[in-house]
Amino acid sequence: MTIDLQEMKKHLESKRDELMQSIGRLTEIHPMVVDSDTAGDESVEDAAVDVQEQQLEISISANDEALLAQINAALKRIEDGTYGFCVVCGKPISEERLRAIPWATLGVEEEEKLEQVNLSREELFDHNRDTHYA
């Protein structure tokens, strides 16, 4: 593999630090859920907006935390000497893919297989839902 592992490590560490700061900021500014009994003069619409904003922040935080876990796993693979190899088939992941998604665990072929499985499950779910409610 011709990819510079030190460069990838620096890139991953930088992204990790960025995500940790983002998660920290969301935690600091996370609004409290408004209790309708104690809302006082606050309108129902304002309370609904607050709850909606809180749900969005929780979703963003969950996504950031999931990405952070993937980045930490990639950094561990660099340390272990397994970085850049597909966790399913063991073949090298292309340099282009690693540059685009440095935390990638699957090669393009395995990723496509996984996507096909997921699409098949979605189609099955959609089909079952449509026939169930028809």
Side-chain angles (χ1 to χ4, degrees):
M1 181 182 311
T2 61
I3 196 153
D4 183 346
L5 291 179
Q6 290 297 29
E7 176 187 329
M8 293 308 285
K9 183 176 180 180
K10 286 180 186 177
H11 181 66
L12 286 163
E13 288 171 339
S14 174
K15 184 67 176 174
R16 177 191 62 195
D17 295 345
E18 176 187 319
L19 284 169
M20 290 175 69
Q21 288 177 357
S22 174
I23 291 167
R25 280 191 305 272
L26 283 175
T27 302
E28 286 177 15
I29 64 171
H30 201 287
M32 298 302 294
V33 175
V34 176
D35 183 358
S36 61
D37 294 336
T38 61
D41 294 334
E42 187 171 15
S43 71
V44 173
E45 291 85 10
D46 289 342
V49 168
D50 288 346
V51 170
Q52 189 174 25
E53 286 175 0
Q54 181 184 31
Q55 290 173 338
L56 178 61
E57 289 174 2
I58 290 170
S59 177
I60 291 169
S61 181
N63 289 339
D64 285 353
E65 288 173 7
L67 182 54
L68 181 60
Q70 292 176 1
I71 289 170
N72 285 331
L75 288 166
K76 179 151 180 27
R77 287 192 306 276
I78 288 174
E79 289 177 21
D80 295 345
T82 59
Y83 180 80
F85 295 94
C86 179
V87 297
V88 173
C89 68
K91 294 178 184 175
I93 299 172
S94 73
E95 186 173 339
E96 295 81 21
R97 180 165 173 76
L98 289 173
R99 289 204 183 284
I101 310 169
W103 48 86
T105 58
L106 301 174
V108 173
E109 291 177 16
E110 295 298 334
E111 184 69 37
E112 287 173 351
K113 288 178 188 177
L114 180 62
E115 287 177 12
Q116 286 302 315
V117 167
N118 289 337
L119 286 174
S120 296
R121 287 180 181 159
E122 283 181 29
E123 290 170 359
L124 179 62
F125 176 76
D126 288 343
H127 174 73
N128 286 341
R129 186 184 60 192
D130 291 343
T131 57
H132 187 306
Y133 293 108

